Amino acid sequence: MALRQIRIFGDEILRKKSREVEVIDEKIRQILDDMAETMYNTENGGGLAAPQIGILKRLVVIDMGEGLIKLVNPKIIRQEGSQEVIEGCLSNPNIFGKLLRPKKVIVQALNEKGEEIILTVTGDLAKCFCHEIDHLEGILFTDLVLEYI
C-alpha cells in the first residue's frame, strides 16, 4: 500500500466525470488499498473518491467508524427524506458548510471481488456516500452549500 497525494480544490481533475471500471483486477484492488491508507492517514477522513487522488475511475472508500467499505462503480438507486448536514472535504481543507442531503440512500455497487452489493444507509453514512459519489461526477460539496460555517 502507498499514500497518495490528495488533489486540492482548483485541480481540474476534480471537475471531471469518472469512468466505469470494466475489470476488477489486482491493479484496481491496489488502488482501493492505497485510497484506504491515504484516507486513514489524513485528518478527518471518512471517505475518499478516486478523483481525489488523480484517478478518473469510479472507486470509493468509506469508513465512518463502522469498518472499511470499498465500492466499485457505486450508484445511488434510491433516496429518501432530507437532512441538513455539515460537510467538509479532504480536497477543500478547512472549508465547511451546511447543505441538504438525503436521509436514506440505497447504493448499488461492486465489491473488490466483483460481486454486486446493495447497501442501505442512513444519517451520516448516507451523507458520506452522497458526497463521495458526487466526486465521481465532478461535483464538489461546495457546489451544494447553503451556508458556509
Side-chain angles (χ1 to χ4, degrees):
M1 292 190 282
L3 290 176
R4 302 284 188 116
Q5 181 178 347
I6 295 177
R7 303 296 180 97
I8 302 299
F9 182 76
D11 190 316
E12 291 180 13
I13 201 162
L14 294 173
R15 292 300 188 173
K16 294 184 177 177
K17 191 171 180 175
S18 296
R19 295 180 300 278
E20 293 267 326
V21 173
E22 302 288 330
V23 177
I24 300 172
D25 56 14
E26 195 52 43
K27 182 178 178 184
I28 294 298
R29 286 188 281 278
Q30 184 63 56
I31 293 168
L32 287 165
D33 288 345
D34 290 353
M35 289 170 61
E37 185 172 352
T38 301
M39 175 185 70
Y40 287 135
N41 283 280
T42 307
E43 191 175 327
N44 295 324
L48 191 68
Q52 292 179 273
I53 60 165
I55 297 172
L56 286 174
K57 293 192 180 293
R58 298 186 76 79
L59 300 169
V60 166
V61 296
I62 293 172
D63 190 343
M64 296 287 288
E66 298 175 20
L68 180 62
I69 301 168
K70 298 177 182 178
L71 302 174
V72 178
N73 299 333
K75 61 184 172 187
I76 295 171
I77 58 174
R78 186 168 177 196
Q79 57 187 38
E80 296 177 11
S82 179
Q83 61 178 336
E84 185 176 281
V85 298
I86 296 174
E87 288 187 23
C89 181
L90 298 177
S91 293
N92 289 285
N94 304 314
I95 297 175
F96 298 91
K98 290 182 186 177
L99 57 153
L100 294 176
R101 291 286 192 190
K103 190 174 273 190
K104 175 181 175 181
V105 294
I106 300 174
V107 175
Q108 179 181 16
L110 299 174
N111 65 18
E112 66 183 320
K113 297 175 187 171
E115 302 162 336
E116 183 177 298
I117 56 174
I118 296 179
L119 302 169
T120 301
V121 295
T122 59
D124 281 343
L125 200 49
K127 168 186 79 168
C128 190
F129 273 63
C130 291
H131 179 107
E132 300 309 332
I133 292 171
D134 277 353
H135 272 299
L136 303 179
E137 298 297 323
I139 299 168
L140 301 176
F141 91 98
T142 52
D143 300 335
L144 308 171
V145 166
L146 302 172
E147 175 186 354
Y148 287 99
I149 57 172

